[in-house]
Amino acid sequence: MKLFLDSTRCQGYGLCQEHAPDLLELDEWGYASVVAVDVPPEEEDAARACVESCPNSALRLEN
């Protein structure tokens, strides 16, 4: 599974990092700084919560 970020939709709320701190890092302005990251099996639930928490649908998961 892979987590993708559409940086044009990210508004820097930081909610994603609250759910998946091991998957995402935020820059100094609070924006997620990854484009795509491999999600280890033990982090899949956190990645789903991360995607669901994003108010602008900037994140998506793909197999």
PDB file of all heavy atoms in Angstrom, residues 2-11 14-20 23-26 31-37 39 46-62:
ATOM      1  N   LYS A   2       0.423   2.269  -0.685  1.00  0.00           N
ATOM      2  CA  LYS A   2       1.190   3.508  -0.796  1.00  0.00           C
ATOM      3  C   LYS A   2       0.268   4.682  -0.478  1.00  0.00           C
ATOM      4  O   LYS A   2      -0.888   4.707  -0.883  1.00  0.00           O
ATOM      5  CB  LYS A   2       1.769   3.634  -2.196  1.00  0.00           C
ATOM      6  CG  LYS A   2       2.851   4.681  -2.321  1.00  0.00           C
ATOM      7  CD  LYS A   2       3.580   4.553  -3.634  1.00  0.00           C
ATOM      8  CE  LYS A   2       4.850   3.821  -3.319  1.00  0.00           C
ATOM      9  NZ  LYS A   2       5.953   4.104  -4.173  1.00  0.00           N
ATOM     10  N   LEU A   3       0.797   5.653   0.253  1.00  0.00           N
ATOM     11  CA  LEU A   3       0.078   6.869   0.606  1.00  0.00           C
ATOM     12  C   LEU A   3       0.593   7.999  -0.273  1.00  0.00           C
ATOM     13  O   LEU A   3       1.798   8.226  -0.349  1.00  0.00           O
ATOM     14  CB  LEU A   3       0.325   7.192   2.082  1.00  0.00           C
ATOM     15  CG  LEU A   3      -0.350   8.423   2.661  1.00  0.00           C
ATOM     16  CD1 LEU A   3      -1.869   8.265   2.658  1.00  0.00           C
ATOM     17  CD2 LEU A   3       0.151   8.665   4.079  1.00  0.00           C
ATOM     18  N   PHE A   4      -0.332   8.667  -0.952  1.00  0.00           N
ATOM     19  CA  PHE A   4       0.015   9.751  -1.867  1.00  0.00           C
ATOM     20  C   PHE A   4      -0.547  11.076  -1.364  1.00  0.00           C
ATOM     21  O   PHE A   4      -1.639  11.124  -0.814  1.00  0.00           O
ATOM     22  CB  PHE A   4      -0.564   9.492  -3.267  1.00  0.00           C
ATOM     23  CG  PHE A   4       0.051   8.333  -3.970  1.00  0.00           C
ATOM     24  CD1 PHE A   4      -0.506   7.076  -3.865  1.00  0.00           C
ATOM     25  CD2 PHE A   4       1.182   8.510  -4.746  1.00  0.00           C
ATOM     26  CE1 PHE A   4       0.058   5.991  -4.526  1.00  0.00           C
ATOM     27  CE2 PHE A   4       1.753   7.438  -5.410  1.00  0.00           C
ATOM     28  CZ  PHE A   4       1.188   6.180  -5.302  1.00  0.00           C
ATOM     29  N   LEU A   5       0.190  12.144  -1.614  1.00  0.00           N
ATOM     30  CA  LEU A   5      -0.234  13.490  -1.251  1.00  0.00           C
ATOM     31  C   LEU A   5      -0.384  14.337  -2.504  1.00  0.00           C
ATOM     32  O   LEU A   5       0.513  14.394  -3.342  1.00  0.00           O
ATOM     33  CB  LEU A   5       0.813  14.144  -0.343  1.00  0.00           C
ATOM     34  CG  LEU A   5       0.646  15.640  -0.095  1.00  0.00           C
ATOM     35  CD1 LEU A   5      -0.545  15.903   0.809  1.00  0.00           C
ATOM     36  CD2 LEU A   5       1.903  16.226   0.486  1.00  0.00           C
ATOM     37  N   ASP A   6      -1.522  15.001  -2.620  1.00  0.00           N
ATOM     38  CA  ASP A   6      -1.728  16.008  -3.661  1.00  0.00           C
ATOM     39  C   ASP A   6      -1.442  17.346  -2.990  1.00  0.00           C
ATOM     40  O   ASP A   6      -2.303  17.907  -2.301  1.00  0.00           O
ATOM     41  CB  ASP A   6      -3.159  15.944  -4.185  1.00  0.00           C
ATOM     42  CG  ASP A   6      -3.454  17.004  -5.239  1.00  0.00           C
ATOM     43  OD1 ASP A   6      -2.638  17.929  -5.429  1.00  0.00           O
ATOM     44  OD2 ASP A   6      -4.516  16.911  -5.868  1.00  0.00           O
ATOM     45  N   SER A   7      -0.244  17.855  -3.169  1.00  0.00           N
ATOM     46  CA  SER A   7       0.189  19.058  -2.456  1.00  0.00           C
ATOM     47  C   SER A   7      -0.627  20.298  -2.827  1.00  0.00           C
ATOM     48  O   SER A   7      -0.663  21.262  -2.068  1.00  0.00           O
ATOM     49  CB  SER A   7       1.676  19.305  -2.680  1.00  0.00           C
ATOM     50  OG  SER A   7       1.939  19.492  -4.047  1.00  0.00           O
ATOM     51  N   THR A   8      -1.302  20.273  -3.967  1.00  0.00           N
ATOM     52  CA  THR A   8      -2.121  21.422  -4.346  1.00  0.00           C
ATOM     53  C   THR A   8      -3.393  21.512  -3.499  1.00  0.00           C
ATOM     54  O   THR A   8      -4.022  22.559  -3.443  1.00  0.00           O
ATOM     55  CB  THR A   8      -2.524  21.372  -5.836  1.00  0.00           C
ATOM     56  OG1 THR A   8      -3.346  20.224  -6.072  1.00  0.00           O
ATOM     57  CG2 THR A   8      -1.290  21.338  -6.726  1.00  0.00           C
ATOM     58  N   ARG A   9      -3.749  20.415  -2.832  1.00  0.00           N
ATOM     59  CA  ARG A   9      -4.953  20.401  -1.994  1.00  0.00           C
ATOM     60  C   ARG A   9      -4.639  20.567  -0.514  1.00  0.00           C
ATOM     61  O   ARG A   9      -5.526  20.864   0.274  1.00  0.00           O
ATOM     62  CB  ARG A   9      -5.714  19.101  -2.192  1.00  0.00           C
ATOM     63  CG  ARG A   9      -6.188  18.934  -3.609  1.00  0.00           C
ATOM     64  CD  ARG A   9      -6.941  17.665  -3.775  1.00  0.00           C
ATOM     65  NE  ARG A   9      -8.247  18.051  -4.298  1.00  0.00           N
ATOM     66  CZ  ARG A   9      -9.274  17.266  -4.360  1.00  0.00           C
ATOM     67  NH1 ARG A   9      -9.207  16.048  -3.914  1.00  0.00           N
ATOM     68  NH2 ARG A   9     -10.407  17.693  -4.863  1.00  0.00           N
ATOM     69  N   CYS A  10      -3.388  20.363  -0.131  1.00  0.00           N
ATOM     70  CA  CYS A  10      -3.004  20.441   1.275  1.00  0.00           C
ATOM     71  C   CYS A  10      -3.081  21.896   1.751  1.00  0.00           C
ATOM     72  O   CYS A  10      -2.536  22.797   1.120  1.00  0.00           O
ATOM     73  CB  CYS A  10      -1.599  19.894   1.467  1.00  0.00           C
ATOM     74  SG  CYS A  10      -1.047  19.938   3.192  1.00  0.00           S
ATOM     75  N   GLN A  11      -3.746  22.091   2.884  1.00  0.00           N
ATOM     76  CA  GLN A  11      -3.886  23.428   3.455  1.00  0.00           C
ATOM     77  C   GLN A  11      -3.109  23.578   4.764  1.00  0.00           C
ATOM     78  O   GLN A  11      -3.237  24.585   5.446  1.00  0.00           O
ATOM     79  CB  GLN A  11      -5.359  23.746   3.697  1.00  0.00           C
ATOM     80  CG  GLN A  11      -6.164  23.835   2.413  1.00  0.00           C
ATOM     81  CD  GLN A  11      -5.712  24.994   1.544  1.00  0.00           C
ATOM     82  OE1 GLN A  11      -5.646  26.122   1.989  1.00  0.00           O
ATOM     83  NE2 GLN A  11      -5.377  24.703   0.299  1.00  0.00           N
ATOM     84  N   GLY A  14      -2.386  19.783   9.407  1.00  0.00           N
ATOM     85  CA  GLY A  14      -1.564  18.904  10.234  1.00  0.00           C
ATOM     86  C   GLY A  14      -2.297  17.730  10.847  1.00  0.00           C
ATOM     87  O   GLY A  14      -1.718  16.993  11.634  1.00  0.00           O
ATOM     88  N   LEU A  15      -3.566  17.547  10.501  1.00  0.00           N
ATOM     89  CA  LEU A  15      -4.331  16.438  11.067  1.00  0.00           C
ATOM     90  C   LEU A  15      -3.757  15.090  10.661  1.00  0.00           C
ATOM     91  O   LEU A  15      -3.801  14.134  11.428  1.00  0.00           O
ATOM     92  CB  LEU A  15      -5.798  16.526  10.630  1.00  0.00           C
ATOM     93  CG  LEU A  15      -6.543  17.779  11.076  1.00  0.00           C
ATOM     94  CD1 LEU A  15      -7.924  17.829  10.427  1.00  0.00           C
ATOM     95  CD2 LEU A  15      -6.645  17.830  12.571  1.00  0.00           C
ATOM     96  N   CYS A  16      -3.223  15.015   9.462  1.00  0.00           N
ATOM     97  CA  CYS A  16      -2.665  13.755   8.969  1.00  0.00           C
ATOM     98  C   CYS A  16      -1.528  13.276   9.866  1.00  0.00           C
ATOM     99  O   CYS A  16      -1.443  12.096  10.187  1.00  0.00           O
ATOM    100  CB  CYS A  16      -2.174  13.919   7.534  1.00  0.00           C
ATOM    101  SG  CYS A  16      -0.998  15.264   7.289  1.00  0.00           S
ATOM    102  N   GLN A  17      -0.694  14.177  10.288  1.00  0.00           N
ATOM    103  CA  GLN A  17       0.454  13.791  11.096  1.00  0.00           C
ATOM    104  C   GLN A  17       0.040  13.347  12.488  1.00  0.00           C
ATOM    105  O   GLN A  17       0.714  12.534  13.097  1.00  0.00           O
ATOM    106  CB  GLN A  17       1.462  14.926  11.161  1.00  0.00           C
ATOM    107  CG  GLN A  17       2.861  14.405  11.219  1.00  0.00           C
ATOM    108  CD  GLN A  17       3.591  14.824  12.472  1.00  0.00           C
ATOM    109  OE1 GLN A  17       3.099  15.553  13.294  1.00  0.00           O
ATOM    110  NE2 GLN A  17       4.793  14.334  12.594  1.00  0.00           N
ATOM    111  N   GLU A  18      -1.083  13.839  12.972  1.00  0.00           N
ATOM    112  CA  GLU A  18      -1.586  13.380  14.269  1.00  0.00           C
ATOM    113  C   GLU A  18      -1.939  11.896  14.214  1.00  0.00           C
ATOM    114  O   GLU A  18      -1.760  11.189  15.192  1.00  0.00           O
ATOM    115  CB  GLU A  18      -2.822  14.179  14.680  1.00  0.00           C
ATOM    116  CG  GLU A  18      -2.514  15.612  15.048  1.00  0.00           C
ATOM    117  CD  GLU A  18      -3.754  16.384  15.428  1.00  0.00           C
ATOM    118  OE1 GLU A  18      -4.775  15.763  15.799  1.00  0.00           O
ATOM    119  OE2 GLU A  18      -3.698  17.620  15.343  1.00  0.00           O
ATOM    120  N   HIS A  19      -2.440  11.434  13.077  1.00  0.00           N
ATOM    121  CA  HIS A  19      -2.847  10.035  12.929  1.00  0.00           C
ATOM    122  C   HIS A  19      -1.701   9.132  12.490  1.00  0.00           C
ATOM    123  O   HIS A  19      -1.707   7.948  12.791  1.00  0.00           O
ATOM    124  CB  HIS A  19      -3.989   9.914  11.911  1.00  0.00           C
ATOM    125  CG  HIS A  19      -5.255  10.520  12.388  1.00  0.00           C
ATOM    126  ND1 HIS A  19      -6.045   9.944  13.349  1.00  0.00           N
ATOM    127  CD2 HIS A  19      -5.862  11.682  12.053  1.00  0.00           C
ATOM    128  CE1 HIS A  19      -7.090  10.711  13.584  1.00  0.00           C
ATOM    129  NE2 HIS A  19      -7.002  11.783  12.805  1.00  0.00           N
ATOM    130  N   ALA A  20      -0.763   9.663  11.752  1.00  0.00           N
ATOM    131  CA  ALA A  20       0.324   8.835  11.212  1.00  0.00           C
ATOM    132  C   ALA A  20       1.674   9.544  11.339  1.00  0.00           C
ATOM    133  O   ALA A  20       2.315   9.849  10.342  1.00  0.00           O
ATOM    134  CB  ALA A  20       0.029   8.496   9.760  1.00  0.00           C
ATOM    135  N   LEU A  23       4.587   8.105   9.389  1.00  0.00           N
ATOM    136  CA  LEU A  23       4.516   8.089   7.928  1.00  0.00           C
ATOM    137  C   LEU A  23       4.747   9.460   7.306  1.00  0.00           C
ATOM    138  O   LEU A  23       5.253   9.565   6.201  1.00  0.00           O
ATOM    139  CB  LEU A  23       3.148   7.575   7.469  1.00  0.00           C
ATOM    140  CG  LEU A  23       2.818   6.132   7.798  1.00  0.00           C
ATOM    141  CD1 LEU A  23       1.398   5.815   7.360  1.00  0.00           C
ATOM    142  CD2 LEU A  23       3.813   5.199   7.125  1.00  0.00           C
ATOM    143  N   LEU A  24       4.321  10.504   8.007  1.00  0.00           N
ATOM    144  CA  LEU A  24       4.360  11.843   7.429  1.00  0.00           C
ATOM    145  C   LEU A  24       5.158  12.812   8.290  1.00  0.00           C
ATOM    146  O   LEU A  24       5.116  12.743   9.510  1.00  0.00           O
ATOM    147  CB  LEU A  24       2.934  12.397   7.284  1.00  0.00           C
ATOM    148  CG  LEU A  24       2.028  11.637   6.345  1.00  0.00           C
ATOM    149  CD1 LEU A  24       0.603  12.102   6.528  1.00  0.00           C
ATOM    150  CD2 LEU A  24       2.471  11.828   4.912  1.00  0.00           C
ATOM    151  N   GLU A  25       5.841  13.691   7.625  1.00  0.00           N
ATOM    152  CA  GLU A  25       6.510  14.791   8.301  1.00  0.00           C
ATOM    153  C   GLU A  25       5.920  16.085   7.772  1.00  0.00           C
ATOM    154  O   GLU A  25       5.525  16.172   6.612  1.00  0.00           O
ATOM    155  CB  GLU A  25       8.007  14.766   8.014  1.00  0.00           C
ATOM    156  CG  GLU A  25       8.716  13.602   8.635  1.00  0.00           C
ATOM    157  CD  GLU A  25      10.217  13.651   8.402  1.00  0.00           C
ATOM    158  OE1 GLU A  25      10.749  14.744   8.117  1.00  0.00           O
ATOM    159  OE2 GLU A  25      10.827  12.602   8.508  1.00  0.00           O
ATOM    160  N   LEU A  26       5.840  17.077   8.626  1.00  0.00           N
ATOM    161  CA  LEU A  26       5.332  18.382   8.223  1.00  0.00           C
ATOM    162  C   LEU A  26       6.491  19.351   8.081  1.00  0.00           C
ATOM    163  O   LEU A  26       7.466  19.284   8.842  1.00  0.00           O
ATOM    164  CB  LEU A  26       4.339  18.915   9.254  1.00  0.00           C
ATOM    165  CG  LEU A  26       3.140  18.028   9.557  1.00  0.00           C
ATOM    166  CD1 LEU A  26       2.243  18.700  10.583  1.00  0.00           C
ATOM    167  CD2 LEU A  26       2.366  17.688   8.304  1.00  0.00           C
ATOM    168  N   TYR A  31       2.685  21.949   6.441  1.00  0.00           N
ATOM    169  CA  TYR A  31       2.270  21.188   5.268  1.00  0.00           C
ATOM    170  C   TYR A  31       2.999  19.854   5.218  1.00  0.00           C
ATOM    171  O   TYR A  31       4.187  19.777   5.528  1.00  0.00           O
ATOM    172  CB  TYR A  31       2.571  21.962   3.981  1.00  0.00           C
ATOM    173  CG  TYR A  31       1.746  23.203   3.821  1.00  0.00           C
ATOM    174  CD1 TYR A  31       2.180  24.423   4.328  1.00  0.00           C
ATOM    175  CD2 TYR A  31       0.526  23.155   3.164  1.00  0.00           C
ATOM    176  CE1 TYR A  31       1.412  25.567   4.198  1.00  0.00           C
ATOM    177  CE2 TYR A  31      -0.251  24.303   3.023  1.00  0.00           C
ATOM    178  CZ  TYR A  31       0.200  25.497   3.548  1.00  0.00           C
ATOM    179  OH  TYR A  31      -0.567  26.618   3.413  1.00  0.00           O
ATOM    180  N   ALA A  32       2.277  18.805   4.821  1.00  0.00           N
ATOM    181  CA  ALA A  32       2.909  17.500   4.642  1.00  0.00           C
ATOM    182  C   ALA A  32       3.979  17.616   3.560  1.00  0.00           C
ATOM    183  O   ALA A  32       3.771  18.275   2.546  1.00  0.00           O
ATOM    184  CB  ALA A  32       1.870  16.456   4.267  1.00  0.00           C
ATOM    185  N   SER A  33       5.112  16.983   3.798  1.00  0.00           N
ATOM    186  CA  SER A  33       6.248  17.172   2.897  1.00  0.00           C
ATOM    187  C   SER A  33       6.607  15.926   2.099  1.00  0.00           C
ATOM    188  O   SER A  33       7.723  15.806   1.625  1.00  0.00           O
ATOM    189  CB  SER A  33       7.454  17.646   3.698  1.00  0.00           C
ATOM    190  OG  SER A  33       7.791  16.696   4.687  1.00  0.00           O
ATOM    191  N   VAL A  34       5.680  15.005   1.952  1.00  0.00           N
ATOM    192  CA  VAL A  34       5.931  13.807   1.147  1.00  0.00           C
ATOM    193  C   VAL A  34       5.029  13.815  -0.074  1.00  0.00           C
ATOM    194  O   VAL A  34       3.956  14.406  -0.057  1.00  0.00           O
ATOM    195  CB  VAL A  34       5.698  12.513   1.943  1.00  0.00           C
ATOM    196  CG1 VAL A  34       6.612  12.436   3.131  1.00  0.00           C
ATOM    197  CG2 VAL A  34       4.266  12.370   2.350  1.00  0.00           C
ATOM    198  N   VAL A  35       5.468  13.178  -1.114  1.00  0.00           N
ATOM    199  CA  VAL A  35       4.623  13.016  -2.300  1.00  0.00           C
ATOM    200  C   VAL A  35       4.013  11.627  -2.292  1.00  0.00           C
ATOM    201  O   VAL A  35       2.836  11.453  -2.562  1.00  0.00           O
ATOM    202  CB  VAL A  35       5.436  13.259  -3.593  1.00  0.00           C
ATOM    203  CG1 VAL A  35       4.603  12.974  -4.818  1.00  0.00           C
ATOM    204  CG2 VAL A  35       5.970  14.679  -3.614  1.00  0.00           C
ATOM    205  N   ALA A  36       4.818  10.639  -1.938  1.00  0.00           N
ATOM    206  CA  ALA A  36       4.352   9.262  -1.841  1.00  0.00           C
ATOM    207  C   ALA A  36       5.220   8.522  -0.834  1.00  0.00           C
ATOM    208  O   ALA A  36       6.419   8.762  -0.754  1.00  0.00           O
ATOM    209  CB  ALA A  36       4.425   8.570  -3.197  1.00  0.00           C
ATOM    210  N   VAL A  37       4.593   7.647  -0.063  1.00  0.00           N
ATOM    211  CA  VAL A  37       5.328   6.872   0.931  1.00  0.00           C
ATOM    212  C   VAL A  37       4.744   5.454   0.972  1.00  0.00           C
ATOM    213  O   VAL A  37       3.530   5.271   0.890  1.00  0.00           O
ATOM    214  CB  VAL A  37       5.275   7.552   2.324  1.00  0.00           C
ATOM    215  CG1 VAL A  37       3.874   7.618   2.866  1.00  0.00           C
ATOM    216  CG2 VAL A  37       6.202   6.883   3.303  1.00  0.00           C
ATOM    217  N   VAL A  39       3.537   2.268   2.798  1.00  0.00           N
ATOM    218  CA  VAL A  39       2.913   2.066   4.106  1.00  0.00           C
ATOM    219  C   VAL A  39       3.163   0.637   4.548  1.00  0.00           C
ATOM    220  O   VAL A  39       2.678  -0.305   3.905  1.00  0.00           O
ATOM    221  CB  VAL A  39       1.394   2.342   4.036  1.00  0.00           C
ATOM    222  CG1 VAL A  39       0.743   2.089   5.385  1.00  0.00           C
ATOM    223  CG2 VAL A  39       1.131   3.758   3.549  1.00  0.00           C
ATOM    224  N   ALA A  46      -3.433   3.412  10.577  1.00  0.00           N
ATOM    225  CA  ALA A  46      -3.063   4.814  10.782  1.00  0.00           C
ATOM    226  C   ALA A  46      -3.132   5.583   9.468  1.00  0.00           C
ATOM    227  O   ALA A  46      -3.591   6.730   9.435  1.00  0.00           O
ATOM    228  CB  ALA A  46      -1.660   4.910  11.380  1.00  0.00           C
ATOM    229  N   ALA A  47      -2.716   4.962   8.379  1.00  0.00           N
ATOM    230  CA  ALA A  47      -2.764   5.621   7.073  1.00  0.00           C
ATOM    231  C   ALA A  47      -4.207   5.873   6.651  1.00  0.00           C
ATOM    232  O   ALA A  47      -4.526   6.937   6.119  1.00  0.00           O
ATOM    233  CB  ALA A  47      -2.044   4.773   6.025  1.00  0.00           C
ATOM    234  N   ARG A  48      -5.091   4.915   6.910  1.00  0.00           N
ATOM    235  CA  ARG A  48      -6.516   5.116   6.583  1.00  0.00           C
ATOM    236  C   ARG A  48      -7.106   6.266   7.409  1.00  0.00           C
ATOM    237  O   ARG A  48      -7.845   7.106   6.894  1.00  0.00           O
ATOM    238  CB  ARG A  48      -7.305   3.837   6.830  1.00  0.00           C
ATOM    239  CG  ARG A  48      -7.128   2.809   5.753  1.00  0.00           C
ATOM    240  CD  ARG A  48      -8.061   1.610   5.950  1.00  0.00           C
ATOM    241  NE  ARG A  48      -7.729   0.586   5.004  1.00  0.00           N
ATOM    242  CZ  ARG A  48      -6.831  -0.384   5.210  1.00  0.00           C
ATOM    243  NH1 ARG A  48      -6.178  -0.444   6.348  1.00  0.00           N
ATOM    244  NH2 ARG A  48      -6.582  -1.282   4.283  1.00  0.00           N
ATOM    245  N   ALA A  49      -6.778   6.312   8.693  1.00  0.00           N
ATOM    246  CA  ALA A  49      -7.260   7.398   9.554  1.00  0.00           C
ATOM    247  C   ALA A  49      -6.722   8.741   9.073  1.00  0.00           C
ATOM    248  O   ALA A  49      -7.433   9.751   9.098  1.00  0.00           O
ATOM    249  CB  ALA A  49      -6.837   7.147  11.000  1.00  0.00           C
ATOM    250  N   CYS A  50      -5.513   8.730   8.610  1.00  0.00           N
ATOM    251  CA  CYS A  50      -4.877   9.924   8.072  1.00  0.00           C
ATOM    252  C   CYS A  50      -5.651  10.438   6.859  1.00  0.00           C
ATOM    253  O   CYS A  50      -5.986  11.626   6.775  1.00  0.00           O
ATOM    254  CB  CYS A  50      -3.447   9.552   7.702  1.00  0.00           C
ATOM    255  SG  CYS A  50      -2.449  10.846   7.046  1.00  0.00           S
ATOM    256  N   VAL A  51      -5.963   9.561   5.926  1.00  0.00           N
ATOM    257  CA  VAL A  51      -6.700   9.924   4.715  1.00  0.00           C
ATOM    258  C   VAL A  51      -8.096  10.436   5.083  1.00  0.00           C
ATOM    259  O   VAL A  51      -8.550  11.456   4.572  1.00  0.00           O
ATOM    260  CB  VAL A  51      -6.798   8.724   3.748  1.00  0.00           C
ATOM    261  CG1 VAL A  51      -7.767   9.004   2.623  1.00  0.00           C
ATOM    262  CG2 VAL A  51      -5.414   8.387   3.202  1.00  0.00           C
ATOM    263  N   GLU A  52      -8.763   9.742   5.986  1.00  0.00           N
ATOM    264  CA  GLU A  52     -10.119  10.121   6.378  1.00  0.00           C
ATOM    265  C   GLU A  52     -10.160  11.453   7.119  1.00  0.00           C
ATOM    266  O   GLU A  52     -11.164  12.160   7.062  1.00  0.00           O
ATOM    267  CB  GLU A  52     -10.741   9.018   7.227  1.00  0.00           C
ATOM    268  CG  GLU A  52     -11.016   7.764   6.432  1.00  0.00           C
ATOM    269  CD  GLU A  52     -11.434   6.588   7.302  1.00  0.00           C
ATOM    270  OE1 GLU A  52     -11.643   6.777   8.523  1.00  0.00           O
ATOM    271  OE2 GLU A  52     -11.537   5.486   6.750  1.00  0.00           O
ATOM    272  N   SER A  53      -9.094  11.815   7.794  1.00  0.00           N
ATOM    273  CA  SER A  53      -9.087  13.053   8.577  1.00  0.00           C
ATOM    274  C   SER A  53      -8.797  14.295   7.744  1.00  0.00           C
ATOM    275  O   SER A  53      -9.041  15.413   8.202  1.00  0.00           O
ATOM    276  CB  SER A  53      -8.055  12.950   9.701  1.00  0.00           C
ATOM    277  OG  SER A  53      -6.740  13.044   9.189  1.00  0.00           O
ATOM    278  N   CYS A  54      -8.307  14.116   6.537  1.00  0.00           N
ATOM    279  CA  CYS A  54      -7.922  15.268   5.718  1.00  0.00           C
ATOM    280  C   CYS A  54      -9.168  15.988   5.196  1.00  0.00           C
ATOM    281  O   CYS A  54      -9.916  15.438   4.396  1.00  0.00           O
ATOM    282  CB  CYS A  54      -7.040  14.831   4.545  1.00  0.00           C
ATOM    283  SG  CYS A  54      -6.476  16.232   3.571  1.00  0.00           S
ATOM    284  N   PRO A  55      -9.387  17.240   5.624  1.00  0.00           N
ATOM    285  CA  PRO A  55     -10.590  17.953   5.199  1.00  0.00           C
ATOM    286  C   PRO A  55     -10.606  18.326   3.716  1.00  0.00           C
ATOM    287  O   PRO A  55     -11.668  18.590   3.161  1.00  0.00           O
ATOM    288  CB  PRO A  55     -10.606  19.207   6.079  1.00  0.00           C
ATOM    289  CG  PRO A  55      -9.242  19.351   6.609  1.00  0.00           C
ATOM    290  CD  PRO A  55      -8.592  18.007   6.557  1.00  0.00           C
ATOM    291  N   ASN A  56      -9.456  18.325   3.069  1.00  0.00           N
ATOM    292  CA  ASN A  56      -9.389  18.719   1.654  1.00  0.00           C
ATOM    293  C   ASN A  56      -9.107  17.556   0.729  1.00  0.00           C
ATOM    294  O   ASN A  56      -8.807  17.771  -0.445  1.00  0.00           O
ATOM    295  CB  ASN A  56      -8.319  19.788   1.457  1.00  0.00           C
ATOM    296  CG  ASN A  56      -8.697  21.065   2.151  1.00  0.00           C
ATOM    297  OD1 ASN A  56      -9.795  21.219   2.638  1.00  0.00           O
ATOM    298  ND2 ASN A  56      -7.779  22.006   2.200  1.00  0.00           N
ATOM    299  N   SER A  57      -9.171  16.339   1.250  1.00  0.00           N
ATOM    300  CA  SER A  57      -8.918  15.132   0.450  1.00  0.00           C
ATOM    301  C   SER A  57      -7.586  15.213  -0.295  1.00  0.00           C
ATOM    302  O   SER A  57      -7.485  14.853  -1.465  1.00  0.00           O
ATOM    303  CB  SER A  57     -10.062  14.890  -0.534  1.00  0.00           C
ATOM    304  OG  SER A  57     -11.275  14.733   0.149  1.00  0.00           O
ATOM    305  N   ALA A  58      -6.572  15.680   0.398  1.00  0.00           N
ATOM    306  CA  ALA A  58      -5.245  15.808  -0.212  1.00  0.00           C
ATOM    307  C   ALA A  58      -4.481  14.484  -0.209  1.00  0.00           C
ATOM    308  O   ALA A  58      -3.467  14.364  -0.891  1.00  0.00           O
ATOM    309  CB  ALA A  58      -4.429  16.868   0.521  1.00  0.00           C
ATOM    310  N   LEU A  59      -4.961  13.521   0.553  1.00  0.00           N
ATOM    311  CA  LEU A  59      -4.276  12.230   0.668  1.00  0.00           C
ATOM    312  C   LEU A  59      -5.137  11.118   0.096  1.00  0.00           C
ATOM    313  O   LEU A  59      -6.364  11.158   0.165  1.00  0.00           O
ATOM    314  CB  LEU A  59      -3.987  11.921   2.145  1.00  0.00           C
ATOM    315  CG  LEU A  59      -3.035  12.894   2.822  1.00  0.00           C
ATOM    316  CD1 LEU A  59      -3.156  12.769   4.316  1.00  0.00           C
ATOM    317  CD2 LEU A  59      -1.619  12.645   2.364  1.00  0.00           C
ATOM    318  N   ARG A  60      -4.444  10.096  -0.450  1.00  0.00           N
ATOM    319  CA  ARG A  60      -5.159   8.909  -0.926  1.00  0.00           C
ATOM    320  C   ARG A  60      -4.253   7.694  -0.735  1.00  0.00           C
ATOM    321  O   ARG A  60      -3.035   7.818  -0.711  1.00  0.00           O
ATOM    322  CB  ARG A  60      -5.579   9.052  -2.386  1.00  0.00           C
ATOM    323  CG  ARG A  60      -4.486   8.944  -3.390  1.00  0.00           C
ATOM    324  CD  ARG A  60      -5.014   9.077  -4.829  1.00  0.00           C
ATOM    325  NE  ARG A  60      -4.004   8.712  -5.787  1.00  0.00           N
ATOM    326  CZ  ARG A  60      -2.981   9.465  -6.158  1.00  0.00           C
ATOM    327  NH1 ARG A  60      -2.830  10.665  -5.643  1.00  0.00           N
ATOM    328  NH2 ARG A  60      -2.092   9.034  -7.049  1.00  0.00           N
ATOM    329  N   LEU A  61      -4.891   6.541  -0.595  1.00  0.00           N
ATOM    330  CA  LEU A  61      -4.183   5.272  -0.482  1.00  0.00           C
ATOM    331  C   LEU A  61      -4.430   4.451  -1.736  1.00  0.00           C
ATOM    332  O   LEU A  61      -5.530   4.447  -2.268  1.00  0.00           O
ATOM    333  CB  LEU A  61      -4.695   4.478   0.705  1.00  0.00           C
ATOM    334  CG  LEU A  61      -4.188   4.873   2.075  1.00  0.00           C
ATOM    335  CD1 LEU A  61      -4.953   4.105   3.144  1.00  0.00           C
ATOM    336  CD2 LEU A  61      -2.704   4.623   2.194  1.00  0.00           C
ATOM    337  N   GLU A  62      -3.383   3.772  -2.185  1.00  0.00           N
ATOM    338  CA  GLU A  62      -3.509   2.846  -3.309  1.00  0.00           C
ATOM    339  C   GLU A  62      -2.750   1.577  -2.991  1.00  0.00           C
ATOM    340  O   GLU A  62      -1.716   1.620  -2.334  1.00  0.00           O
ATOM    341  CB  GLU A  62      -2.935   3.472  -4.595  1.00  0.00           C
ATOM    342  CG  GLU A  62      -3.758   4.614  -5.125  1.00  0.00           C
ATOM    343  CD  GLU A  62      -3.221   5.153  -6.441  1.00  0.00           C
ATOM    344  OE1 GLU A  62      -2.323   4.537  -7.042  1.00  0.00           O
ATOM    345  OE2 GLU A  62      -3.689   6.233  -6.856  1.00  0.00           O
TER     346      GLU A  62
END
